[in-house]
């Protein structure tokens, strides 16, 4: 009975705070145009290939730009850490820490802005008695990490573009 006024009040507060979705229809068209003009550089190793593919899906869903204004370079490093040791000195859990250092460079004077940052994630998986199952669990953890890193990097770049296209 009292839920409707609470929902209306919550919507009024959200509308008044200036919240704007990055990928919504009310977004400045400049952000989407700038994102579509990014060329994603090659990232080494298999994990880097996955990260690059996820970035391409998020940044350039319409395909590779014909004349890109920006180049995105990413250096990806990872480190595996074994955890949860049994008495037999065998671990039953592992963490993989990923660090992606990215740099967005403008190619011409119009897009001469540079933006860089670091994105980090830690993913975990169980080490099982079956070697094959452990390999699949590790592969899944690495894929989840690449997907999350791509989301973080693309969202930060979109927020960066959004900040100077509104000005």
């Amino acid at each position: 009975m009292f839920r409707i006024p609470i929902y209306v009040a919550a919507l009024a507060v959200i509308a008044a705070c200036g919240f704007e979705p990055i990928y919504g229809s009310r977004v400045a068209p400049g952000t989407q145009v700038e994102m579509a003009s990014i060329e994603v550089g090659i990232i080494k190793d298999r994990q880097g290939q996955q990260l690059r593919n996820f970035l391409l899906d998020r940044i350039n869903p319409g395909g590779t730009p014909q004349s890109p204004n920006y180049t995105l370079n990413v250096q990806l490093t990872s480190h595996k850490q074994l955890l949860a040791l049994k008495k037999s000195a065998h671990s039953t859990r592992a963490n993989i820490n990923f660090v992606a250092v990215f740099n967005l460079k403008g190619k011409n004077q119009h897009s001469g802005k540079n933006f860089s940052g670091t994105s980090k994630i830690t993913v975990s998986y169980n080490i099982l008695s079956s070697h094959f199952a452990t390999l699949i669990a590790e592969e899944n953890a690495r894929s989840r990490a690449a997907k999350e890193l791509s989301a973080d990097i693309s969202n930060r770049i979109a927020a960066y573009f959004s900040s100077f296209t509104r000005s």
Side-chain angles (χ1 to χ4, degrees):
M1 186 165 137
F2 295 107
R3 290 184 183 175
I4 293 175
I6 291 172
Y7 291 138
V8 172
L11 287 174
V13 169
I14 289 174
C17 76
F19 172 77
E20 291 181 31
I22 291 176
Y23 297 109
S25 60
R26 294 178 53 193
V27 173
T31 300
Q32 293 173 345
V33 170
E34 295 291 335
M35 291 289 286
S37 69
I38 296 174
E39 174 185 42
V40 181
I42 303 296
I43 308 170
K44 69 175 186 162
D45 297 330
R46 174 66 182 135
Q47 189 67 41
Q49 290 174 349
Q50 284 183 329
L51 176 59
R52 183 175 187 270
N53 288 338
F54 283 127
L55 283 168
L56 288 171
D57 289 345
R58 291 184 64 87
I59 293 174
N60 305 111
T64 306
Q66 295 299 320
S67 56
N69 293 329
Y70 301 92
T71 301
L72 176 64
N73 294 309
V74 181
Q75 287 81 37
L76 182 65
T77 58
S78 66
H79 173 72
K80 189 189 303 187
Q81 180 181 21
L82 300 176
L83 306 168
L85 294 175
K86 290 182 178 179
K87 288 182 182 180
S88 62
H90 293 285
S91 60
T92 59
R93 188 118 177 113
N95 280 351
I96 307 175
N97 302 311
F98 291 93
V99 178
V101 178
F102 62 92
N103 187 10
L104 181 72
K105 287 187 178 183
K107 286 188 164 188
N108 56 36
Q109 205 163 6
H110 166 68
S111 61
K113 301 169 184 76
N114 292 336
F115 177 64
S116 60
T118 302
S119 184
K120 300 177 184 181
I121 190 169
T122 300
V123 290
S124 299
Y125 65 95
N126 290 329
I127 299 173
L128 307 166
S129 57
S130 167
H131 183 66
F132 179 73
T134 301
L135 286 175
I136 296 301
E138 182 177 354
E139 182 180 313
N140 178 272
R142 290 179 179 275
S143 180
R144 284 184 289 133
K147 194 170 196 173
E148 290 298 319
L149 285 172
S150 72
D152 184 52
I153 291 170
S154 62
N155 286 342
R156 290 172 65 184
I157 291 171
Y160 169 72
F161 283 140
S162 178
S163 70
F164 73 77
T165 55
R166 274 190 253 153
S167 313

